[in-house]
Amino acid sequence: MADIAGLSRPSPGDGADRRAHTAVLSVSHSQRSGFAPLAAVSVEEWHGLAERTIEPNGYYLPAWELAVNASARGRTGAFALCARHDASANELAPSQPRQDEPPRLIGLLPVVSLWRACKIPLPALVSASPYGTLCTPLLDRSHAEEAVRQLMSVARAAGARALILRDVPLNGAAMKTFTRVLRQEGLRPIVLHSHLRASLDARRPADDVLDDALSAKKLKELRRQRNRLAEKHGVVRFEVAHSVDDVARAIEIFLDLEASGWKGERGTALRQHEGDLNFIRRATRGLAETAQCEIVTMRAGETPVAAAIVLRHQDRAFYFKLGIDERFAKFSPGVQLTLELTRHLCADAVLVTADSTASAHHPMINPIWRGRLRIGDIILPLWHNDPVVSAIRAAMQLRHGLREMARRAVHLVRNR
């Protein structure tokens, strides 16, 4: 509990009458109150909640997030805010038999302290990074508002003055539920910053999507490149790994491709760090067991030229990472793979949309997937008129500004 111990919280008085004091919770108390180490959450209950959640998030599926939490660099040791619905506690008419169902998990949000997430020494809990850029909490669609109230209550009991949700869809069902509950309590969310990122409407025919996105001249050029690739290196094939064994083989191809390019040169490829390597092998295999992971590969002859990892949750897909063999760069292998992936996703009757989970203004995916999701970082105040929340907001905005300045400086240096 050392990561959370020391957070201060107001006592349950009104306004200026509240007193700040230190909340140091034991593990047993945390588990009873819905705050416990992430690894202690029942996987069976977590799976059940994921099936009922109001908004999909492939990165908070148990197989993925538990693998992240076990070994991914800088992302281990998270805690979980949990909400439960106790049907037996409801008032029943005298003629009704008492229900003895155990409390059902209706809400889950992996979290770390603000200090752990951002090195800011203020009392807040932050959605834990799942390696992908999406931190939508899991909320039971039948008890979404109850789940939000409980998550906020548990966060207060843990000593937090605010919850910070990073990388959440601002117009999604989960964020709308949080906003509604906050409004009912006389509070409102604070948007720190937001951006648009690419998404795909998978209900449309792929040819319509691509014709609308790319000019006839561009599509003709891409066909020419693909034909040239086939002429020089062999028949171009698009493969989709679904089964556990196929995914286990395909992930090694992806890892080799990713490490062969600029990520390998910078030391950021998954294969280059044992913890990250263990995470991605475990996560993709675990999700393949529940048909929630695909690895797509493009080959020229027998040579893999591009591969990508795609997660699936309910009616949504998530484009996690792409690896290419840069020796074939003149044939645009990443774009070629993405065109085939677009056709593959649009042909799936279950899927409604695909989230690129890419950065804003991504040069490859933005011109192809023309749908847009507004993604943002949000502060959820837990108390009225709390000056600590203002301090948290100022510190987060300062940090974001400094990081943006550093990012632009690095970009300028690299492009000289």
Side-chain angles (χ1 to χ4, degrees):
M1 296 300 296
D3 193 42
I4 305 300
L7 295 181
S8 62
R9 63 182 172 90
S11 59
D14 293 326
D17 291 333
R18 296 196 210 112
R19 296 177 296 105
H21 66 278
T22 299
V24 182
L25 303 178
S26 68
V27 172
S28 60
H29 173 78
S30 300
Q31 290 172 331
R32 289 197 304 271
S33 63
F35 184 67
L38 186 65
V41 178
S42 162
V43 174
E44 182 179 358
E45 286 189 291
W46 193 339
H47 273 299
L49 173 59
E51 292 175 0
R52 304 186 305 272
T53 190
I54 197 171
E55 184 175 353
N57 182 357
Y59 298 111
Y60 276 169
L61 290 170
W64 184 272
E65 178 59 8
L66 287 173
V68 171
N69 188 60
S71 67
R73 283 181 303 148
R75 295 171 171 87
T76 60
F79 283 76
L81 295 179
C82 296
R84 296 182 180 279
H85 174 73
D86 188 354
S88 66
N90 296 333
E91 291 187 7
L92 302 172
S95 59
Q96 291 180 295
R98 182 175 179 81
Q99 301 179 54
D100 292 322
E101 298 176 12
R104 187 170 76 175
L105 186 67
I106 60 171
L108 185 144
L109 175 63
V111 293
V112 295
S113 69
L114 183 56
W115 173 256
R116 170 80 183 277
C118 304
K119 294 298 182 284
I120 296 174
L122 291 170
L125 291 171
V126 183
S127 54
S129 169
Y131 225 110
T133 53
L134 189 66
C135 296
T136 310
L138 302 183
L139 305 174
D140 189 312
R141 68 175 66 93
S142 298
H143 304 280
E145 290 192 10
E146 179 186 354
V148 167
R149 290 191 185 92
Q150 282 196 42
L151 293 177
M152 291 170 59
S153 177
V154 171
R156 291 185 186 109
R161 307 285 273 272
L163 268 178
I164 300 173
L165 303 183
R166 298 182 290 185
D167 294 317
V168 293
L170 299 188
N171 297 318
M175 194 61 228
K176 287 180 179 178
T177 305
F178 273 96
T179 300
R180 192 161 56 247
V181 171
L182 285 167
R183 187 184 300 120
Q184 292 166 3
E185 298 190 7
L187 299 165
R188 63 180 181 84
I190 300 167
V191 179
L192 286 168
H193 44 79
S194 66
H195 65 275
L196 296 175
R197 77 177 177 208
S199 66
L200 169 69
D201 183 350
R203 297 167 296 186
R204 299 182 62 202
D207 287 343
D208 291 351
V209 169
L210 298 176
D211 287 345
D212 289 348
L214 302 171
S215 68
K217 181 179 179 180
K218 181 64 176 177
L219 287 170
K220 182 178 180 181
E221 173 61 15
L222 288 168
R223 283 194 296 270
R224 186 193 69 80
Q225 290 177 348
R226 178 168 175 151
N227 291 336
R228 290 287 290 163
L229 177 62
E231 290 170 7
K232 287 181 172 290
H233 300 282
V235 176
V236 175
R237 306 194 312 277
F238 177 75
E239 302 172 348
V240 183
H242 298 280
S243 71
V244 174
D245 289 343
D246 286 348
V247 164
R249 284 188 288 268
I251 192 61
E252 301 305 320
I253 295 171
F254 167 85
L255 290 166
D256 288 343
L257 288 169
E258 186 195 37
S260 72
W262 62 267
K263 290 182 182 178
E265 292 176 0
R266 295 183 189 173
T268 60
L270 290 164
R271 187 181 283 287
Q272 293 173 297
H273 301 272
E274 184 177 2
D276 289 348
L277 180 60
N278 291 338
F279 137 65
I280 198 63
R281 284 173 171 165
R282 171 180 165 179
T284 51
R285 183 182 182 88
L287 287 181
E289 291 175 354
T290 54
Q292 291 175 309
C293 176
E294 297 175 339
I295 299 179
V296 295
T297 305
M298 179 167 281
R299 294 178 183 269
E302 296 303 313
T303 305
V305 297
I309 301 170
V310 179
L311 311 188
R312 299 175 61 121
H313 185 198
Q314 295 182 357
D315 61 2
R316 196 167 302 179
F318 305 87
Y319 195 169
F320 174 54
K321 277 184 180 290
L322 170 70
I324 66 170
D325 187 331
E326 293 184 359
R327 296 175 301 171
F328 297 85
K330 65 181 179 181
F331 303 109
S332 304
V335 175
Q336 302 287 358
L337 180 86
T338 300
L339 296 184
E340 289 301 321
L341 175 62
T342 301
R343 296 184 179 101
H344 169 65
L345 296 177
C346 288
D348 191 312
V350 173
L351 292 179
V352 170
T353 188
D355 183 349
S356 69
T357 63
S359 58
H361 315 298
H362 193 281
M364 188 278 287
I365 196 66
N366 276 28
I368 302 173
W369 290 6
R370 292 299 185 95
R372 293 294 180 263
L373 294 171
R374 181 160 291 281
I375 303 296
D377 290 0
I378 312 293
I379 296 177
L380 307 176
L382 298 177
W383 306 94
H384 293 91
N385 304 316
D386 189 349
V388 176
V389 173
S390 299
I392 291 169
R393 179 181 188 177
M396 292 290 289
Q397 289 175 329
L398 175 62
R399 178 180 182 271
H400 179 71
L402 292 173
R403 287 168 64 89
E404 279 297 297
M405 289 173 59
R407 184 187 63 80
R408 290 171 185 166
V410 169
H411 182 74
L412 286 172
V413 169
R414 285 177 178 164
N415 287 281
R416 281 182 178 175

